[in-house]
């Protein structure tokens, strides 16, 4: 029984691969029968001087030879055509499609094609067309349904579950497919996988949710409606950098430019999670950069929408954790933190005196010295940019203090 299951999943993977690679490289020439026929005719008529796409001014009585020369001349689309003609079976086509990079084998297959006459080539092309029709490429919706059915099946193996999620990850990239995910009953099963005991599964499902909701208000609201944000915020506390990073990715995609999402983030205490990431010394700095980036993004959204949904951005303790990050030794982090402070300073809800109480002035001055004196030679240019930003923040801060 389990064998059958595994087999069908493998088939699905092959279908996905096939769909992805065939559409680009094999189907294209096949779908252009006119162009293919023209090439073939040019070859067929080639008794004397032949000027075709295959190479100008070649003599050739032997039609096969001409095709061969076209190959060595390396004309892009013509070459692809010939490879398409060289596949006698779906399996060999598959092998090629999934990136068979054995050059000897490719050469052999190309050589086989070169032995064919123009008529035979045409016939071959017809055969492949028929084959494609028989194969009946499954639609993306079909593939999504199979993956969703797998996710809903509590008796499939962990491996098959992970594979189903990975297939969905690819499938939900186009916005139309992402919009279909809930209609096909797939959103809830993916959200449920956020609770899986297996970390890899949790990571991949967060990834799917982030990808599906990216720049997509419909899917954002569907996921928020199912209450997935609470779970993602918890995942942000994970001691696994990878898991916390994917949770942050999904959260960012969910609440970006979305007022509902930002309100939910606030009520789920998302700011405490961000603060946890910012203040912990033993957290991967890449994760901290992602968190700071999210802070800037949220502040900019508030600035542009004039909608103060996120009071934590002006919270005194939160500001402290942001300012404290400037004491680290990481130029890239400095830049991101300065950008965040710049955006936060512009918020009307921010009190400059809160920054003052965390000695922003002194921190900025020390950072200036550090950028000047401690930067390795190969980073001087970047340090110059960061320093310009630092001065900008300093000016903005002083102005805001005066306005009080
Ligand atoms: C669920 O998976 C098991 C094990 O792979 C399989 O035997 C069974 O047919 C599947 N059930 C459904 C409804 O697909
Ligand atoms: C938010 O989280 C912090 C830190 O865990 C906690 O102290 C605070 O009580 C929480 N607030 C709410 C409203 O849950």
């Amino acid at each position: 029984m389990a064998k059958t299951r595994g087999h069908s999943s493998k088939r699905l993977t092959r279908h996905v691969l096939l769909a992805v690679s065939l559409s680009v490289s094999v189907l294209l020439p096949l779908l252009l029968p006119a162009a293919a026929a023209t090439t073939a005719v040019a070859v067929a008529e080639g008794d004397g001087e032949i000027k075709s796409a295959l190479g100008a001014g070649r003599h050739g009585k032997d039609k096969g030879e001409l095709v061969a020369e076209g190959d060595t001349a390396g004309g892009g689309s013509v070459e692809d055509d010939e490879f398409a003609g060289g596949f006698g079976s779906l399996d060999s086509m598959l092998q090629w499609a999934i990136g068979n990079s054995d050059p000897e084998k490719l050469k052999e297959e190309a050589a086989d094609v070169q032995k064919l006459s123009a008529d035979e080539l045409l016939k071959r092309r017809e055969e492949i067309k028929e084959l494609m029709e028989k194969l009946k490429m499954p639609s993306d919706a079909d593939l999504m349904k199979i993956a969703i059915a797998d996710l809903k099946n509590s008796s499939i193996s962990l491996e098959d579950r992970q594979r189903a999620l990975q297939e969905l990850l690819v499938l939900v990239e186009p916005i139309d497919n992402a919009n279909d995910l809930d209609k096909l009953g797939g959103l809830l099963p993916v959200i449920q996988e956020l609770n899986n005991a297996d970390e890899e599964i949790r990571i991949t499902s967060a990834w799917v949710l982030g990808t599906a909701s990216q720049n997509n208000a419909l899917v954002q609201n569907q996921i928020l409606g199912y209450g997935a944000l609470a779970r993602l915020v918890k995942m942000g506390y994970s001691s696994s950098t990878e898991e916390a990073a994917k949770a942050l990715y999904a959260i960012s995609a969910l609440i970006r430019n979305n007022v509902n999402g930002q309100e939910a983030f606030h009520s789920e205490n998302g700011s405490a999670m961000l603060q946890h990431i910012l203040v912990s010394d033993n957290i991967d700095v890449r994760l901290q950069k992602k968190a700071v980036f999210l802070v800037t993004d949220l502040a900019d959204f508030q600035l542009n929408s004039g909608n103060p949904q996120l009071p934590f951005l002006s919270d005194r303790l939160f500001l402290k954790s942001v300012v404290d990050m400037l004491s680290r030794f990481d130029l890239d982090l400095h830049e991101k933190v300065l950008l965040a402070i710049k955006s936060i300073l512009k918020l009307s809800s921010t009190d400059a005196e809160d920054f003052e109480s965390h000695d922003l002035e002194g921190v900025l001055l020390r950072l200036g010295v550090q950028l000047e004196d401690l930067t390795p030679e190969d980073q001087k240019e970047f340090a110059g940019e960061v320093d310009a930003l630092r001065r900008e923040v300093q000016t903005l801060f002083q102005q805001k203090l005066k306005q009080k």
Side-chain angles (χ1 to χ4, degrees):
M1 248 332 184
K3 269 226 154 74
T4 322
R5 179 58 269 141
H7 183 71
S8 97
S9 235
K10 214 169 271 162
R11 249 184 43 220
L12 174 59
T13 307
R14 280 154 59 114
H15 277 149
V16 174
L17 278 172
L18 200 64
V20 173
S21 20
L22 280 193
S23 58
V24 182
S25 25
V26 177
L27 282 182
L28 207 61
L30 280 176
L31 291 176
L32 295 171
T38 313
T39 309
V41 167
V43 176
E45 286 171 349
D47 272 329
E49 193 65 33
I50 295 189
K51 292 192 170 71
S52 76
L54 296 176
R58 298 242 184 225
H59 281 278
K61 300 252 190 259
D62 182 345
K63 293 144 195 168
E65 196 183 302
L66 260 175
V67 181
E69 285 176 22
D71 181 44
T72 47
S77 67
V78 173
E79 204 168 44
D80 289 346
D81 244 355
E82 283 163 12
F83 278 118
F87 294 111
S89 72
L90 180 59
D91 257 333
S92 63
M93 201 154 67
L94 240 179
Q95 256 180 15
W96 179 80
I98 60 177
N100 181 352
S101 56
D102 180 351
E104 276 313 306
K105 203 149 178 223
L106 280 180
K107 231 186 244 169
E108 262 172 47
E109 290 189 344
D112 281 348
V113 186
Q114 287 154 18
K115 290 191 200 105
L116 297 176
S117 73
D119 281 349
E120 282 168 330
L121 266 179
L122 270 182
K123 203 167 140 228
R124 189 70 153 230
R125 213 162 257 131
E126 284 306 314
E127 281 169 7
I128 287 186
K129 257 209 239 155
E130 273 171 38
L131 192 67
M132 298 301 296
E133 274 154 26
K134 253 191 248 156
L135 174 66
K136 260 218 177 147
M137 295 280 289
S139 68
D140 283 1
D142 292 335
L143 296 171
M144 284 167 75
K145 279 181 204 157
I146 298 172
I148 292 165
D150 277 359
L151 278 188
K152 284 175 158 171
N153 185 340
S154 57
S155 31
I156 62 167
S157 69
L158 215 54
E159 192 193 353
D160 282 344
R161 189 166 294 276
Q162 173 71 353
R163 193 184 292 136
L165 282 168
Q166 267 161 349
E167 282 158 359
L168 282 179
L169 183 61
V170 176
L171 286 162
V172 298
E173 203 133 337
I175 195 157
D176 289 339
N177 289 354
N179 288 343
D180 280 347
L181 186 59
D182 194 41
K183 265 185 258 168
L184 296 173
L187 210 40
L188 259 181
V190 174
I191 290 171
Q192 271 153 14
E193 296 303 330
L194 292 176
N195 292 308
N196 199 298
D198 184 82
E199 182 188 319
E200 285 303 314
I201 298 270
R202 294 196 302 270
I203 289 175
T204 315
S205 48
W207 199 353
V208 173
L209 295 175
T211 304
S213 57
Q214 197 121 51
N215 301 316
N216 187 329
L218 175 78
V219 176
Q220 281 177 335
N221 290 328
Q222 287 168 342
I223 297 175
L224 292 167
Y226 287 127
L229 194 64
R231 177 66 200 134
L232 287 168
V233 168
K234 284 208 183 73
M235 275 172 75
Y237 285 96
S238 170
S239 55
S240 148
T241 300
E242 211 194 332
E243 181 172 14
K246 275 295 180 285
L248 264 193
Y249 164 74
I251 292 170
S252 306
L254 262 185
I255 69 177
R256 183 151 218 267
N257 295 334
N258 188 313
V259 177
N260 298 333
Q262 294 174 14
E263 274 167 6
F265 185 72
H266 178 59
S267 54
E268 295 302 342
N269 213 356
S271 61
M273 183 268 293
L274 282 183
Q275 218 166 332
H276 165 80
I277 292 178
L278 296 184
V279 300
S280 307
D281 283 333
N282 53 355
I283 279 187
D284 194 307
V285 69
R286 288 168 303 172
L287 189 57
Q288 294 182 319
K289 286 176 194 170
K290 277 182 206 290
V292 175
F293 190 80
L294 178 57
V295 169
T296 310
D297 195 49
L298 293 173
D300 286 344
F301 179 78
Q302 293 217 30
L303 212 56
N304 296 328
S305 67
N307 221 340
Q309 304 93 352
L310 293 174
F312 77 86
L313 287 174
S314 302
D315 175 82
R316 241 177 124 238
L317 271 180
F318 188 78
L319 295 184
K320 176 167 171 29
S321 37
V322 175
V323 172
D324 283 351
M325 301 196 88
L326 287 178
S327 313
R328 311 277 177 82
F329 285 86
D330 185 315
L331 211 44
D332 195 35
L333 181 66
H334 291 156
E335 186 190 34
K336 290 192 164 56
V337 172
L338 286 170
L339 286 171
I341 293 178
K342 185 173 138 188
S343 293
I344 292 173
L345 272 172
K346 289 182 185 165
L347 293 175
S348 58
S349 51
T350 301
D351 188 343
E353 282 178 6
D354 285 339
F355 271 126
E356 195 181 27
S357 70
H358 300 314
D359 191 23
L360 180 60
E361 187 71 42
V363 170
L364 288 175
L365 280 175
R366 283 194 293 279
L367 178 62
V369 174
Q370 186 188 325
L371 287 172
E372 177 83 29
D373 296 346
L374 298 176
T375 306
E377 206 48 50
D378 60 336
Q379 290 184 30
K380 283 277 189 231
E381 199 181 326
F382 185 28
E385 290 169 25
V386 175
D387 195 50
L389 184 59
R390 180 192 65 84
R391 270 176 276 144
E392 205 183 327
V393 169
Q394 206 168 21
T395 308
L396 204 61
F397 175 51
Q398 280 157 359
Q399 280 169 357
K400 188 144 178 138
L401 266 182
K402 274 196 211 118
Q403 279 166 16
K404 287 288 295 183

